[in-house]
Structures are given as C-alpha cells and as structure tokens.
Amino acid sequence: LRKENGQLTRELAEYAADIPEIPANLAGFDETFEVHGRRSFKGSPYGWTATATWREIFGYIAPYLVKHPAESVVKGILEKALFEKSESAGHVTSMHDQLFQTISIQLRAYGLVNVSYSKTVAGGMGLFWSATPAGEKLTFELRTVRGEKSADP
C-alpha cells in the first residue's frame, strides 16, 4: 500500500505540474470584451466592433460544444453572433484571429471548455472544442427556458 500510495502521489504531483496557473486577476465573467473584425459591404471592406460579456460569448457557442466542433466552426459561430450584435451592415465577416485566440484561452482559464488536438475524419489533425462538466452545467443555466411554475420533469 505504501508503494502504491507513493506512486499515486508522484503521479498526482506530475499531473498538477502540467496544469497552468490561472492569473489571480482574471477578468470577471460579467466583464465586457471588445471584439473587432472585417466585413464586406457593397464590395468594399469595412471594420466592425462588438462588445460582449464573457458570459454572452460562452452562451453563443455553448450549445454547439456537444458536437465537439472544429475550432474553425466555433470561430464561425462567434463571428456570426458577434457581427449580428455589432448591428453592422454587410456580409462575409471575419473576426481578428488574435482576439479569437484570446477568447479561447479565457474560456479555458474559466474552466468551461477543452480544446484538444485530434484526428479529423479525413485523417489529418485539428483542434476540437468541447465543454467541461462546469461548461455543461453553465450551458443549462444560460440556455434553458424556464416556466413561471417550476415542475419536476
């Protein structure tokens, strides 16, 4: 038992060493973040800006995470939702990739999403998103419709 306990203690220490330290002053979940992108309007490129809370940003993608979408799909969902929030005219939108990467890291720091490098169905490799158990719980809090009277399902 002592040998097994020692082995498990070492494994736990190795696992804990792999977990990055989250900054103590991480932005609050209801703080806003400004996102910029490009759009096309009447054949000319223009910029767009949208401001959303981290809660809203997660709420936009949360229902889609059940399908373990590729990173490009998640980015497309966010681009569309944030562009619509910006109330800009036009189409063919894109979000600045560095801002998308910040969103990815922030949601991972909150413990809401996992991003893993896995094989694609075509045999290549790609990044895929999924919700953590905490992310799944928050998805139900954010995206369920509640009635006036609470009833047991």
Side-chain angles (χ1 to χ4, degrees), residues 70 118-126 128:
S118 303
K119 273 193 174 184
T120 66
V121 292
M125 298 295 285
F128 294 90

Side-chain angles (χ1 to χ4, degrees), residues 25-46:
N25 59 349
L26 192 65
F29 203 51
D30 291 312
E31 289 186 43
T32 58
F33 183 66
E34 189 171 271
V35 180
H36 308 278
R38 302 290 294 162
R39 65 187 166 94
S40 175
F41 184 68
K42 297 183 180 181
S44 298
Y46 295 93

Side-chain angles (χ1 to χ4, degrees), residues 1-150:
L1 285 173
R2 275 184 269 194
K3 286 182 181 179
E4 185 178 353
N5 185 24
Q7 177 64 29
L8 291 173
T9 301
R10 283 188 297 278
E11 289 177 14
L12 183 59
E14 288 173 17
Y15 174 75
D18 290 341
I19 299 173
E21 189 172 322
I22 308 282
N25 59 349
L26 192 65
F29 203 51
D30 291 312
E31 289 186 43
T32 58
F33 183 66
E34 189 171 271
V35 180
H36 308 278
R38 302 290 294 162
R39 65 187 166 94
S40 175
F41 184 68
K42 297 183 180 181
S44 298
Y46 295 93
W48 59 268
T49 301
T51 302
T53 65
W54 293 106
R55 181 181 306 275
E56 287 174 305
I57 290 169
F58 180 72
Y60 290 139
I61 63 167
Y64 301 94
L65 298 179
V66 174
K67 299 177 185 178
H68 299 262
E71 185 167 75
S72 60
V73 172
V74 175
K75 186 176 182 188
I77 292 164
L78 273 176
E79 285 170 343
K80 184 174 191 246
L82 292 168
F83 178 70
E84 288 173 1
K85 186 175 170 90
S86 76
E87 298 181 2
S88 296
H91 59 283
V92 190
T93 66
S94 65
M95 177 188 336
H96 294 308
D97 191 62
Q98 289 299 318
L99 293 174
F100 176 72
Q101 295 305 321
T102 298
I103 290 169
S104 170
I105 292 167
Q106 188 80 9
L107 294 179
R108 288 172 36 215
Y110 287 137
L112 300 174
V113 300
N114 289 319
V115 179
S116 59
Y117 191 62
S118 303
K119 273 193 174 184
T120 66
V121 292
M125 298 295 285
L127 290 172
F128 294 90
W129 287 46
S130 62
T132 64
E136 288 181 15
K137 181 179 178 187
L138 184 58
T139 299
F140 286 113
E141 290 175 22
L142 294 175
R143 298 297 299 258
T144 54
V145 179
R146 293 168 178 78
E148 290 181 26
K149 293 183 179 180
S150 178

